[in-house]
Each structure stands twice: as C-alpha cells, then as structure tokens.
C-alpha cells in the first residue's frame, strides 16, 4: 500500500473529471471518465509523458515502480514468468499464458 496516509474521499453525485455529469451513489466518475481525468492530469502535470510522471516520483531504470507494487503487496508476480500485475490481472494472465498453472491453482483451492 502507499506509505502516505490517503484521505477518505466521499462521492458527491457529480463526476470528478469536471464534466458535471450526475453519477450514481458511491461513484466518483461517469463510465470511462476516470481515464479522462487521468489523461488530463498527466497532460497538465507531466506533459502527457508517463516517463516524466515516473521520474517525478523517483522511479525509472534502477528503481522499478512495478517492483515496489509487488513489495508493498498491492501487485503480485506470476509464479511462472516475470509478469507482474494486480491480483485480477495475474489470474487472467495465468489463464491465458499458463493454463496448466491456472488449472493447478484452481484445483488447490
């Protein structure tokens, strides 16, 4: 998880991307608008460059953000290759790329 405390956010009933569309209870964004907001933030703060974003937070060659996500326990490493991702991504990756490993994991549950 993140080492800094994050504030508790409360949905307001209006999309947080800035479009002012009403959203359902418990939602921060209209469908797909989280990616709109993410792209806008990346554009205004980092010139639309993911490399600048990573560098701005101290990541890059020699200091992997993916490795940190794994070490913090928010991502996992595939047991059969070097792929890393969120737990749901690992499950999908195993089914697609390592079906025998995925079947074995299912049978052990």
């Amino acid at each position: 998880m993140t080492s800094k405390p994050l504030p508790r956010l409360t949905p307001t009933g209006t999309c947080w991307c800035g479009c002012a569309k009403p959203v359902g209870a418990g939602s921060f964004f209209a469908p797909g608008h989280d990616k709109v907001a993410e792209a806008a933030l990346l554009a205004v703060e980092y010139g639309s460059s993911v490399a600048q974003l990573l560098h701005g937070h101290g990541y890059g060659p020699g200091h992997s953000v993916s490795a940190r996500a794994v070490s913090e326990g928010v991502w996992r490493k595939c047991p059969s290759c070097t792929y890393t991702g969120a737990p749901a991504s690992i499950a999908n990756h195993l089914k697609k790329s390592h079906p025998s490993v995925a079947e074995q994991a299912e049978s052990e549950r």
Side-chain angles (χ1 to χ4, degrees):
M1 303 269 180
T2 182
S3 57
K4 61 183 174 186
L6 297 174
R8 178 178 160 86
L9 302 176
T10 304
T12 62
T14 303
C15 184
W16 278 37
C17 86
C19 72
K21 286 188 177 187
V23 295
S27 295
F28 290 97
F29 298 99
H33 289 213
D34 55 331
K35 293 298 179 183
V36 171
E38 183 179 47
L41 177 64
L42 189 62
V44 299
E45 296 291 334
Y46 300 101
S48 296
S49 169
V50 174
Q52 290 290 341
L53 167 70
L54 291 172
H55 175 76
H57 290 272
Y59 297 104
H63 191 215
S64 168
V65 68
S66 299
R68 175 146 184 232
V70 171
S71 72
E72 296 278 333
V74 294
W75 271 20
R76 306 270 188 271
K77 183 181 179 309
C78 174
S80 299
C81 69
T82 61
Y83 181 84
T84 59
S89 294
I90 293 293
N92 289 334
H93 166 77
L94 285 171
K95 288 176 189 171
K96 185 176 179 181
S97 300
H98 312 289
S100 62
V101 175
E103 289 172 12
Q104 183 180 358
E106 285 293 320
S107 68
E108 292 174 357
R109 288 183 190 187

